[in-house]
């Protein structure tokens, strides 16, 4: 029979090692749950804001159309916040992957030949010493835009167009619809139109061209890349 490889190499006492890693795992699970809750809170508030503003704006002729533009700006702020929060969530999931695949999997079913993640301890230790995010804030923002906010932005934009078309009366022609784009006496219609097209086009491109969550959370790819980076740094 092939001898089983020692699960916990090194001089560290096994009991102390198991206790330390178990506490670290609990801490990372709590950290991930906190960032997950923060993401949900931001998304929930964005949905509530969009619902309230669209109902309020369509409910009265006196409410100006640019109230919805203000709502879109607030939604954009929510996307910026969620980009940072998802980045931290992604990082916690990466650490949990190392612990689950490198530590707990070996306890449940010790490998007979070689560990699936032979350098998981070194990678985790290096990350604990110097935090290394696997994705950028911008990528996190694009993913949240793709997952949640594209539909929300599209919905608010459609309500904004409907508001312009029906209030104060139904627009009889395209020129009449265009003249309603102005914001008071300060912002002309052409500027609002150009800004709206650029905003919606940029949001669609950034969201639709972003890798999916499944691709960004393919931990085997992250593992091999980080392992190569760690080896190069040590050399």
């Amino acid at each position: 029979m092939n001898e089983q490889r020692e699960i916990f190499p090194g001089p560290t006492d096994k009991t102390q090692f198991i206790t330390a890693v178990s506490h670290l795992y609990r801490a990372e699970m709590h950290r991930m749950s906190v960032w997950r809750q923060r993401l949900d809170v931001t998304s929930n508030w964005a949905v509530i804001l969009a619902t309230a503003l669209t109902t309020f704006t369509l409910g009265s002729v006196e409410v100006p159309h640019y109230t919805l533009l203000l709502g879109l700006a607030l939604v954009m702020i929510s996307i910026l916040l969620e980009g940072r929060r998802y980045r931290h969530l992604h990082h916690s999931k990466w650490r949990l992957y190392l612990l689950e695949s490198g530590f707990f999997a070996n306890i449940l079913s010790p490998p007979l030949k070689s560990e699936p993640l032979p350098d998981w301890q070194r990678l985790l230790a290096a990350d604990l010493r110097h935090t290394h995010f696997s994705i950028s804030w911008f990528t996190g923002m694009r993913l949240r835009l793709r997952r949640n906010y594209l539909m929300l932005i599209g919905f608010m934009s459609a309500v904004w167009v409907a508001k312009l078309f029906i209030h104060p009366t139904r627009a009889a022609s395209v020129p009449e619809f265009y003249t309603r784009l102005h914001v008071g006496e300060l912002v002309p219609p052409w500027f609002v139109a150009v800004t709206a097209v650029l905003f919606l086009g940029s949001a669609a491109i950034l969201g639709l061209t972003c890798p999916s969550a499944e691709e960004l959370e393919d931990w085997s790819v992250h593992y091999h890349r980080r392992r190569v980076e760690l080896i190069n740094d040590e050399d």
Side-chain angles (χ1 to χ4, degrees):
M1 292 179 62
N2 294 330
E3 294 183 0
Q4 293 183 354
R5 181 172 178 175
E6 182 69 15
I7 301 175
F8 309 115
T12 305
D13 179 75
K14 289 183 179 180
T15 303
Q16 295 178 354
F17 183 81
I18 291 175
T19 301
V21 173
S22 298
H23 282 297
L24 177 61
Y25 182 77
R26 291 175 59 191
E28 287 299 331
M29 282 295 295
H30 176 70
R31 192 197 312 273
M32 185 191 70
S33 299
V34 169
W35 287 114
R36 178 74 262 178
Q37 291 172 0
R38 291 181 178 179
L39 275 177
D40 292 340
V41 168
T42 308
S43 299
N44 291 341
W45 275 109
V47 172
I48 293 173
L49 173 68
T51 304
L53 280 180
T54 52
T55 304
F56 174 71
T57 305
L58 291 178
S60 176
V61 177
E62 286 75 20
V63 178
H65 71 89
Y66 49 82
T67 303
L68 289 170
L69 299 181
L70 175 62
L72 286 173
L74 295 176
V75 167
M76 192 62 202
I77 293 175
S78 298
I79 299 173
L80 299 179
L81 293 175
E82 287 207 14
R84 173 181 174 273
R85 293 177 178 180
Y86 178 78
R87 191 186 188 198
H88 285 272
L89 175 66
H90 186 275
H91 185 243
S92 290
K93 287 183 177 182
W94 158 244
R95 287 183 176 179
L96 287 171
Y97 166 77
L98 291 177
L99 289 169
E100 292 173 352
S101 300
F103 177 73
F104 289 104
N106 288 347
I107 290 180
L108 296 173
S109 179
L112 297 177
K113 295 182 179 180
S114 61
E115 295 182 18
L117 300 180
D119 290 332
W120 72 271
Q121 294 184 47
R122 294 170 58 216
L123 289 174
L124 184 58
D127 191 72
L128 290 172
R129 292 189 181 101
H130 304 286
T131 300
H132 184 279
F133 291 104
S134 300
I135 62 173
S136 65
W137 162 82
F138 185 65
T139 301
M141 183 198 72
R142 290 173 61 199
L143 178 65
R144 298 307 295 174
L145 181 62
R146 170 175 177 161
R147 290 290 297 271
N148 291 348
Y149 286 92
L150 273 181
M151 290 186 294
L152 194 60
I153 290 174
F155 169 73
M156 294 187 69
S157 300
V159 174
W160 175 60
V161 172
K163 170 72 176 180
L164 290 167
F165 185 75
I166 65 175
H167 286 169
T169 58
R170 180 176 178 179
S173 61
V174 174
E176 181 182 353
F177 175 85
Y178 173 77
T179 58
R180 296 180 179 182
L181 290 173
H182 68 88
V183 178
E185 301 296 332
L186 181 64
V187 182
W190 68 266
F191 183 83
V192 176
V194 171
T195 304
V197 170
L198 289 177
F199 173 77
L200 295 176
S202 300
I205 293 173
L206 291 176
L208 295 177
T209 58
C210 178
S212 65
E214 290 74 18
E215 294 180 66
L216 293 177
E217 296 179 5
D218 186 351
W219 305 120
S220 60
V221 175
H222 288 291
Y223 170 78
H224 292 296
R225 184 174 70 247
R226 288 294 297 134
R227 190 182 183 193
V228 172
E229 291 175 355
L230 182 63
I231 294 173
N232 292 336
D233 291 340
E234 292 177 349
D235 292 340

